[in-house]
Amino acid sequence: MCVRESKSFPRILIIFLVLGLAQALTQADTQGTADRQELLFSTAEETLFSTDKAKIDWPWSRNKTTKGTPAGLILKNDYSQMDIASFSDFERHPCRRVCQQGQTQSCYYQLVVHNYQRLGPECQRCQFDERACAAEHCIYGDGVASPVMAVNRKIPGPAIELCENDTVVVDVLNYLGEPTTMHWHGLNMVDTPQMDGAAFVTQYPVQPGEVQRYEFKADRGGSLWYHSHMGWQRGFGVAGHLIIRKTRQANQHAHLYDYDLVEHALMVQDIFYDHELQTVRNILINGKGRNHLNQLPDNDNRHRYERLRVTPGYRYRMRVLLNGIANCPVEFSIEQHKLLIISTDGNDIEPVLADGFFLTSAERFDFVLNANQLAKSYWISVRGYEQCDGRKLYQGAVLSYRGATRTELPQGNILGSTQSRTLVADNLLKPTNSSEQSRALSAAPVLVNDYRIMPTIAAGPEAFLRLATAEKDNNVGTVALRSLQPVPWPRNTRFRTYYSSFSLRRAPNGELLFQIDEISYIPPDISLLQGRNLFQDDGYFCNRSSLVAQGHNCQQDLCECLNVIRMPAYRPIEMVVANYMTNTHPYHIHGNSFRLVGQGVVGNIDDLRNIQNLDRQGRLPRLPDHYHAVLKDSVQIPGLGFIIVRLISDNPGFWLYHCHVEAHAVQGMMAVLKIGEDYQMKQVPARLRC
Ligand SMILES: [Cu+2]
């Protein structure tokens, strides 16, 4: 068990024993896992999260008061007696409920992170009977055996569903043979920076056999996710949905849909086989899909696809996230259906009706699907680009209407409808004459966040703003999305601008080094937040300006050090981040969400001074102050392009800043933002010892 100091141990033990007894009583009304399909059609569709029904009699809430009491807080007292089979998912968790005002709860979870096997012995029946796949802790994947890392014997890990302002207590039990941490992607951890899960930045790693208790407030709603922040672990499978719902009163999009079911949350991931980390081999949707080693048609019933069930006449909120580890942006669409996009990275936007959208790693889109087509099965299709395009990787899931045969697969190929779209889009990308272009435009689908099409500054700021307003344009750039909330700063606010770059260089030994500000990140050996009084910043950190002051030229020398960029707290901050490479990179910072006010292509750049000069000349356009710039936590920097993000630096601390492609981050495309001075940061408890 996890304790802070050894002298408080006996008191905690007593609390555990008392609460352990409470758990035993609570478990009495927790049945075994119900058949997923049955739950979906009988209980789920009629009751779960129906926005029309406010009052629901939940089996676990009978005779319980939720107000002010830790009804969901159940603490295990002895991990050595833990039965790994007893907490496979949280479908019947007390915190999974209709969110109501004034009824916040404390919600306790155990996440066991462990080595596991794709297509292991649990999958014997799954290979012959699709219905057997869910029940037996089988991780079928694409039917190719491979070592994986799972959470509670699941990939994706079990979805955590709760309500805004709930208190979350998660014990992460490390059953791996290597250290781990867990990051709660999308939460800014304003009150609990030590819970952010960044190894050697906000905490020490959780060693094999240890438990770490994460405790924080779910202080915002939205489609968030949890994932390991160590090495390649999230690529091996250590990731899951973290869905924080709002009350109906607080949910401005509640009127747009009838159901919001966890079964309709999709995690897309690119995977490798065995430990060949550099070779992306497939894309999976909720851990399932066809493989590309065999020549079976997509609709051969020997494949195992994720299946989403809907009833005709209803509107469903669906959530998609890309847990990407390679340079593999994906395009998402659903055959014969439009997607009403209502949220990105958990932040509500003015709805956009689209045919599809692109995701780079860590980005999320929520959309409403209107089940208004013929009652049969349709392909949900995901197409991979860049590294995934090299192997022609794509994946499917099945949108299955009630009334269609349960095991029916859609007709045709997964990419059937997207291929015709691609032809149109290619014509748009390479128009030969204007009439061809206008013909292509009128037939073109509406796509959001297409990484291939970005405004160039050569076209002038007007082109950029035309894209931003999305008038007559079939490509809706991320920067064109409009938040439901105006920006929180007054007009004409003066921002302090920081210029930064993403780049790649080859070391003399041939190794590829991915860099931020032409520096490859070397992690510290003292956790920065905890150990901040143990070192002098100037001696311990490096950054672009300190290296220049020391006479280094990182364009010639190989700069590898602990890159910490210092920013003042409680100031309007702007980052202009340039990408010297031709492929897109997903930018992500911890501890802060930001408004995206600029995004476009510059052309060849290999020196930040060029970007600074362009900006001084007014050639890097920004959205006007009145525009409700979209709020995000992860965004793609176009190839040979830039982004401009703005935030108020009101969360002092040490926050990771990195590319969300794991292959790039582990090779150095990381840095730390130090926001504020040591004295402005939250006091954190002494190192957690387990
Ligand atoms: Cu990258």
Side-chain angles (χ1 to χ4, degrees):
M1 75 183 56
C2 184
V3 293
R4 275 181 194 164
E5 291 167 28
S6 56
K7 58 186 174 182
S8 62
F9 175 77
R11 197 174 55 198
I12 288 179
L13 185 65
I14 292 166
I15 295 170
F16 279 1
L17 288 171
V18 171
L19 291 169
L21 184 64
Q23 181 208 14
L25 294 172
T26 313
Q27 278 181 337
D29 63 19
T30 304
Q31 308 286 316
T33 307
D35 178 343
R36 258 181 106 83
Q37 311 297 346
E38 289 310 315
L39 180 73
L40 187 63
F41 274 129
S42 57
T43 319
E45 289 207 358
E46 270 97 53
T47 58
L48 287 190
F49 311 117
S50 160
T51 52
D52 295 331
K53 300 181 175 79
K55 184 77 183 159
I56 289 175
D57 182 22
W58 298 93
W60 49 74
S61 62
R62 284 173 207 142
N63 306 322
K64 274 189 208 159
T65 158
T66 53
K67 198 169 185 176
T69 61
L73 186 63
I74 301 162
L75 300 179
K76 283 280 224 191
N77 66 339
D78 187 353
Y79 292 108
S80 66
Q81 298 301 308
M82 184 183 66
D83 175 5
I84 199 169
S86 68
F87 36 86
S88 59
D89 60 43
F90 306 129
E91 276 185 8
R92 301 178 72 82
H93 194 282
C95 286
R96 188 179 175 220
R97 65 199 195 275
V98 174
C99 300
Q100 305 209 45
Q101 268 179 330
Q103 296 196 352
T104 58
Q105 290 192 190
S106 290
C107 305
Y108 175 73
Y109 305 87
Q110 282 179 330
L111 298 181
V112 182
V113 181
H114 59 103
N115 292 310
Y116 210 50
Q117 182 76 17
R118 189 181 293 140
L119 201 69
E122 301 81 6
C123 295
Q124 292 301 315
R125 289 203 307 132
C126 173
Q127 295 184 73
F128 309 102
D129 178 4
E130 184 183 336
R131 289 167 302 180
C133 300
E136 300 176 348
H137 304 294
C138 159
I139 295 181
Y140 187 81
D142 56 0
V144 177
S146 185
V148 290
M149 294 176 184
V151 183
N152 295 8
R153 305 215 285 196
K154 291 172 82 79
I155 297 178
I160 292 178
E161 297 172 85
L162 31 76
C163 296
E164 197 172 32
N165 294 320
D166 281 352
T167 299
V168 190
V169 180
V170 188
D171 282 339
V172 173
L173 290 74
N174 183 6
Y175 274 42
L176 299 171
E178 60 187 60
T180 192
T181 62
M182 201 65 87
H183 172 53
W184 314 93
H185 191 124
L187 287 172
N188 290 334
M189 298 292 175
V190 174
D191 295 322
T192 52
Q194 73 278 20
M195 297 297 164
D196 186 50
F200 292 110
V201 177
T202 60
Q203 71 162 91
Y204 288 90
V206 190
Q207 296 300 321
E210 286 189 347
V211 183
Q212 167 139 356
R213 173 155 298 172
Y214 289 92
E215 191 166 358
F216 51 86
K217 196 168 179 193
D219 56 4
R220 51 158 301 183
S223 294
L224 314 185
W225 58 307
Y226 64 85
H227 64 78
S228 160
H229 219 295
M230 289 290 285
W232 293 83
Q233 289 170 9
R234 75 180 170 83
F236 276 98
V238 184
H241 285 278
L242 171 58
I243 298 171
I244 306 175
R245 295 191 176 85
K246 298 178 180 181
T247 62
R248 188 174 169 82
Q249 295 86 338
N251 179 1
Q252 291 179 268
H253 284 327
H255 63 287
L256 294 176
Y257 55 91
D258 304 303
Y259 292 102
D260 175 8
L261 307 174
V262 70
E263 290 84 353
H264 293 164
L266 299 178
M267 177 179 292
V268 180
Q269 62 179 139
D270 42 7
I271 62 160
F272 38 81
Y273 292 157
D274 296 315
H275 290 89
E276 289 176 51
L277 302 172
Q278 298 301 331
T279 314
V280 56
R281 301 299 294 267
N282 204 350
I283 300 168
L284 299 180
I285 301 177
N286 279 2
K288 292 201 198 98
R290 66 154 300 146
N291 69 45
H292 298 275
L293 300 176
N294 65 45
Q295 303 301 315
L296 296 173
D298 291 339
N299 59 1
D300 188 287
N301 62 14
R302 281 168 283 183
H303 297 306
R304 296 286 171 262
Y305 295 107
E306 180 71 347
R307 208 173 264 279
L308 279 63
R309 299 190 193 276
V310 292
T311 299
Y314 290 96
R315 301 163 303 165
Y316 296 84
R317 181 176 189 145
M318 298 191 172
R319 303 165 189 263
V320 187
L321 84 80
L322 176 62
N323 175 23
I325 46 143
N327 171 25
C328 175
V330 302
E331 178 186 2
F332 181 100
S333 58
I334 302 182
E335 191 185 5
Q336 284 186 41
H337 288 78
K338 294 262 183 192
L339 318 175
L340 184 67
I341 301 175
I342 57 170
S343 175
T344 181
D345 296 359
N347 303 298
D348 290 340
I349 57 171
E350 286 180 18
V352 175
L353 191 63
D355 294 274
F357 55 81
F358 280 71
L359 293 169
T360 51
S361 179
E363 287 188 289
R364 287 91 73 203
F365 281 112
D366 292 16
F367 63 89
V368 174
L369 177 123
N370 192 348
N372 58 4
Q373 298 296 307
L374 282 178
K376 56 177 194 152
S377 293
Y378 299 88
W379 285 119
I380 295 170
S381 70
V382 168
R383 178 177 167 177
Y385 289 84
E386 303 274 331
Q387 272 176 282
C388 283
D389 197 30
R391 287 180 163 266
K392 300 276 175 248
L393 298 181
Y394 61 89
Q395 197 48 271
V398 180
L399 179 74
S400 182
Y401 274 63
R402 193 174 194 169
T405 316
R406 282 200 173 197
T407 52
E408 177 187 284
L409 288 176
Q411 297 295 307
N413 297 326
I414 291 170
L415 292 183
S417 57
T418 57
Q419 269 158 348
S420 57
R421 284 219 313 265
T422 306
L423 281 176
V424 174
D426 285 347
N427 281 341
L428 270 178
L429 284 168
K430 299 173 205 152
T432 49
N433 60 52
S434 61
S435 68
E436 212 166 289
Q437 187 181 21
S438 63
R439 218 174 25 246
L441 196 59
S442 62
V446 176
L447 293 172
V448 172
N449 198 25
D450 187 339
Y451 81 100
R452 302 165 303 170
I453 306 174
M454 284 288 161
T456 61
I457 60 164
E462 298 77 21
F464 181 90
L465 292 176
R466 203 161 51 238
L467 184 80
T469 50
E471 278 168 23
K472 294 189 201 161
D473 209 317
N474 294 57
N475 170 49
V476 183
T478 324
V479 73
L481 302 173
R482 296 173 74 102
S483 170
L484 286 189
Q485 307 300 332
V487 294
W489 41 78
R491 286 189 188 190
N492 303 316
T493 296
R494 289 178 66 86
F495 287 83
R496 184 166 174 173
T497 303
Y498 289 78
Y499 294 90
S500 190
S501 67
F502 279 34
S503 58
L504 172 70
R505 70 190 290 119
R506 191 173 286 279
N509 65 2
E511 187 189 354
L512 282 178
L513 296 174
F514 287 82
Q515 302 191 311
I516 285 181
D517 296 346
E518 294 178 306
I519 301 167
S520 293
Y521 181 74
I522 304 266
D525 44 20
I526 298 173
S527 181
L528 300 179
L529 183 66
Q530 282 78 8
R532 60 185 188 262
N533 296 317
L534 301 177
F535 50 77
Q536 293 287 323
D537 287 9
D538 293 341
Y540 202 54
F541 304 157
C542 73
N543 52 49
R544 193 160 53 94
S545 44
S546 77
L547 289 171
V548 169
Q550 290 164 20
H552 292 286
N553 179 348
C554 294
Q555 289 193 314
Q556 289 167 8
D557 308 336
L558 204 55
C559 295
E560 293 180 273
C561 48
L562 173 57
N563 184 2
V564 179
I565 301 160
R566 299 178 56 157
M567 294 176 171
Y570 308 107
R571 293 279 183 280
I573 299 284
E574 181 180 77
M575 285 185 81
V576 176
V577 188
N579 175 8
Y580 298 175
M581 298 168 65
T582 52
N583 60 280
T584 178
H585 291 274
Y587 159 102
H588 172 54
I589 54 174
H590 292 216
N592 300 271
S593 297
F594 50 80
R595 301 284 183 151
L596 179 70
V597 300
Q599 184 184 36
V601 172
V602 182
N604 270 320
I605 22 168
D606 56 6
D607 191 329
L608 265 187
R609 281 172 298 193
N610 295 341
I611 281 283
Q612 279 167 293
N613 282 337
L614 282 172
D615 204 16
R616 271 193 216 105
Q617 294 161 14
R619 294 179 61 197
L620 299 187
R622 290 158 172 82
L623 293 172
D625 278 352
H626 60 80
Y627 199 92
H628 293 193
V630 67
L631 184 64
K632 282 180 75 68
D633 58 49
S634 310
V635 67
Q636 56 151 322
I637 320 173
L640 304 180
F642 68 97
I643 54 164
I644 305 174
V645 303
R646 287 176 170 177
L647 55 94
I648 304 293
S649 58
D650 53 5
N651 192 11
F654 290 93
W655 303 111
L656 266 186
Y657 155 35
H658 63 98
C659 173
H660 219 283
V661 167
E662 209 62 59
H664 300 169
V666 297
Q667 292 180 86
M669 209 173 241
M670 274 202 172
V672 173
L673 303 181
K674 179 180 181 183
I675 295 182
E677 299 302 324
D678 292 344
Y679 72 88
Q680 293 173 303
M681 297 182 190
K682 289 259 161 14
Q683 291 297 316
V684 298
R687 180 188 168 181
L688 292 170
R689 198 162 60 80
C690 293

